[in-house]
Amino acid sequence: MADVSQKSGSKSLLIGFACFVVFEAVTYYVLRFATSGLGMSDQYQPENTIVSNWVKTVVFLLLHLLVIVVAVLVLSNQLPRRYRGQVMGWFYLALVTGFLLLIPLFD
């Protein structure tokens, strides 16, 4: 039970942030490759509809959500108890990041 009272320090938060950035970058490039066949490259055509890019957006967000939920489940089982408090914070940040990654996805 002595393990429960210990809190993770700033060094572990910095390492967690670095791992988060690497995880999001790898996830973005893998999902960008996986959804590359969906949508239109030039979305500003006169006859363009929103449907094809909407499909790419939804597929990207759902796959991103699936990846981060699996990562949270794996991390919550593998990390020592004192670091598990960080996992939900990184999860919430990853949810917001998924929407922000849509901007470079369509550029």
Side-chain angles (χ1 to χ4, degrees), residues 3 11 14 27 32 38-39 47 53 62 72 78 81 99:
D3 203 29
K11 183 179 177 183
L14 186 62
T27 302
R32 188 175 90 176
L38 301 173
E47 69 277 354
N53 289 330
L62 288 175
V72 165
Q78 299 296 324
R81 186 178 301 233
F99 289 101

Side-chain angles (χ1 to χ4, degrees), residues 47-80:
E47 69 277 354
N48 189 17
T49 63
I50 196 168
V51 174
S52 59
N53 289 330
W54 179 251
V55 170
K56 183 175 184 174
T57 301
V58 170
V59 169
F60 180 84
L61 287 175
L62 288 175
L63 288 176
H64 187 264
L65 182 63
L66 177 71
V67 168
I68 63 173
V69 166
V70 168
V72 165
L73 291 174
V74 169
L75 284 175
S76 65
N77 285 328
Q78 299 296 324
L79 283 176

Side-chain angles (χ1 to χ4, degrees), residues 3 15 18 20 26 44 53:
D3 203 29
I15 292 171
F20 174 79
V26 169
Y44 298 111
N53 289 330

